Amino acid sequence: MSENQQIAYKQIRLFLETRLAQMLKTERETLPPLSLAEIVSLLFAFHGHQNVLGGFGESLGAIRALIGDEQTWARPKPEQPASTAVH
């Protein structure tokens, strides 16, 4: 993964984990190691009916275009905090 993709991965993960933790009324550090695709799916399961998040396909497609399929579906390693995992 290129340096730009690593930066994008970290920023996207931080944003999505923060949003999910807020929705669950918990801390980001307590979330299990989920892939970005799993987090996006959960966010849409909770609030996809509201026009707050945009389209599911477009959101996931943009993440895939920015960081690639492998990183979109990869779960962070459990021994690392999810917010600092880089694959």
Side-chain angles (χ1 to χ4, degrees), residues 5-59:
Q5 286 176 312
Q6 289 176 1
I7 293 168
Y9 173 84
K10 287 180 184 180
Q11 293 302 313
I12 292 167
R13 176 165 289 285
L14 177 64
F15 177 79
L16 292 177
E17 285 178 342
T18 299
R19 180 171 268 191
L20 181 60
Q22 289 170 344
M23 288 174 46
L24 297 174
K25 298 187 184 334
T26 190
E27 299 296 321
R28 203 176 81 252
E29 296 76 19
T30 65
L31 296 173
L34 299 169
S35 72
L36 292 178
E38 291 171 317
I39 295 172
V40 170
S41 293
L42 277 173
L43 290 171
F44 274 91
F46 293 135
H47 287 288
H49 64 284
Q50 299 175 1
N51 292 328
V52 180
L53 297 174
F56 176 80
E58 291 82 2
S59 296

